[in-house]
Amino acid sequence: MNGSGNHRDKTATERYKALRQKGAVTDDERLLSRPTQPLVSPNQPVPRERIKEEEHAFERALNFDYTMTDPWRVFRIMSEFVNGFDVLAHIPPSIAIFGSARTKASDPSYAAATETARLLAQAGFGVITGGGPGIMEAANKGAQEGGNLSIGCNIELPFEQASNPYLDISLDFRYFFVRKTLFMKYSSAFIIFPGGFGTMDELFEALTLIQTKKVSNFPIILYGSEYWGGLMDWLRTTMLGVENISPKDLDLLLVSDDPAEICMLVCDAYQRNSQLEKVDSSRETSIR
């Protein structure tokens, strides 16, 4: 070891420290001061150079926020956790329902999601979704029809995703990982309807956390054997075939085409977990 790496690190540290201290401007001063600008009469056209300068300054300010203030972003992340925990702390036992935002009301999956949520709500469960259109809207609608709490956790996207009109509680998130943590913490089961990348993300997030025992086991039910059949076949023949998963890992996934059966599976699993907690009060319940 010649120490050259450490020397480079120290040099970089000192260089960035010097940049931060250059001019000795305090955060208060940076926040409260605004540079003077040329006055332009409302009756005069704004010079083109001024327009370009303002556009550049605005873009530079946006880039500064996202490249120089990551430590402060921690507080924004923390605020999302705090607000989410505060709002959801007293909801009833709830089930997360996922699926495509692109599903139309005329699609059979939409009606099935509504019916599944309605049955779960009547059984005593609240329903949590991503709060948007499609399957999420169907599930929130079913929760209200079943007379129980309908919860939406919406995510900020480059293309705006409006909340659906069937929400009793609506939360907005900037960060996917914060939202996913709340789904995991406050859901007693995941029901996965046909969807795209986002739906797959939620599915495999849950499978990974259960497989690695980061959370206590809870049902993950795929609705639609035809839609999910190819995935299940690939898991069995390819992933299990090369032993990248074990046979018991496949048992973490259930498949059903019947909303009533899904409700029964969820209720049975919830009752079993409740009995286990009564028998062993020290049983690990993880973040949930």
Side-chain angles (χ1 to χ4, degrees):
M1 296 290 290
N2 59 15
S4 60
N6 288 338
H7 175 71
R8 285 196 298 271
D9 291 344
K10 183 176 181 180
T11 301
T13 300
E14 295 300 323
R15 181 162 57 89
Y16 285 115
K17 185 184 294 183
L19 286 173
R20 289 173 62 88
Q21 295 176 346
K22 187 176 181 180
V25 178
T26 65
D27 284 341
D28 276 348
E29 184 178 352
R30 188 178 293 114
L31 173 66
L32 298 174
S33 63
R34 185 181 184 189
T36 58
Q37 301 175 14
L39 295 176
V40 177
S41 170
N43 297 323
Q44 295 176 335
V46 179
R48 186 166 184 80
E49 294 75 14
R50 172 75 178 278
I51 294 175
K52 287 185 176 181
E53 182 181 342
E54 289 177 349
E55 289 175 348
H56 177 69
F58 181 71
E59 184 66 27
R60 186 174 58 189
L62 290 178
N63 289 333
F64 178 83
D65 286 343
Y66 283 92
T67 61
M68 301 296 288
T69 61
D70 277 349
W72 293 102
R73 189 170 296 162
V74 172
F75 291 101
R76 177 179 284 179
I77 293 169
M78 183 173 66
S79 72
E80 289 201 354
F81 275 118
V82 171
N83 184 56
F85 291 153
D86 183 53
V87 172
L88 301 180
H90 303 293
I91 65 173
S94 297
I95 308 302
I97 297 181
F98 302 100
S100 177
R102 305 179 186 186
T103 302
K104 306 299 183 185
S106 58
D107 191 302
S109 293
Y110 186 101
T114 301
E115 176 66 5
T116 301
R118 185 184 68 82
L119 292 173
L120 289 167
Q122 290 179 337
F125 294 101
V127 171
I128 306 176
T129 79
I135 292 296
M136 296 172 280
E137 175 184 293
N140 290 127
K141 178 182 178 183
Q144 289 192 342
E145 289 179 356
N148 218 318
L149 197 62
S150 174
I151 304 157
C153 297
N154 212 337
I155 188 72
E156 180 184 90
L157 297 172
F159 44 94
E160 185 177 358
Q161 175 179 294
S163 298
N164 69 66
Y166 301 103
L167 301 176
D168 301 313
I169 294 176
S170 181
L171 291 168
D172 294 314
F173 295 90
R174 292 182 177 91
Y175 303 100
F176 270 108
F177 68 89
V178 176
R179 187 175 77 146
K180 287 196 291 186
T181 299
L182 293 178
F183 279 138
M184 294 299 305
K185 180 173 179 62
Y186 292 105
S187 300
S188 298
F190 274 21
I191 302 174
I192 315 291
F193 280 79
F197 288 164
T199 303
M200 296 286 279
D201 179 45
E202 302 290 357
L203 166 61
F204 282 100
E205 173 94 0
L207 286 173
T208 300
L209 291 175
I210 294 174
Q211 180 201 48
T212 55
K213 301 188 184 302
K214 290 294 184 179
V215 301
S216 54
N217 199 340
F218 66 93
I220 302 175
I221 306 171
L222 305 177
Y223 175 86
S225 56
E226 182 178 356
Y227 187 86
W228 297 107
L231 173 64
M232 294 301 297
D233 289 341
W234 182 80
L235 292 174
R236 293 190 192 95
T237 59
T238 302
M239 191 176 282
L240 180 60
V242 296
E243 299 183 346
N244 282 336
I245 58 173
S246 62
K248 66 178 182 179
D249 291 332
L250 286 176
D251 296 336
L252 299 177
L253 281 170
L254 302 172
V255 182
S256 178
D257 296 303
D258 181 7
E261 181 185 35
I262 292 174
C263 183
M264 180 189 69
L265 291 170
V266 170
C267 290
D268 289 348
Y270 189 80
Q271 290 174 359
R272 285 196 303 273
N273 286 335
S274 178
Q275 290 300 319
L276 287 173
E277 289 177 8
K278 290 179 181 178
V279 171
D280 182 8
S281 60
S282 64
R283 176 175 173 267
E284 171 61 40
T285 57
S286 72
I287 64 171
R288 298 182 299 116

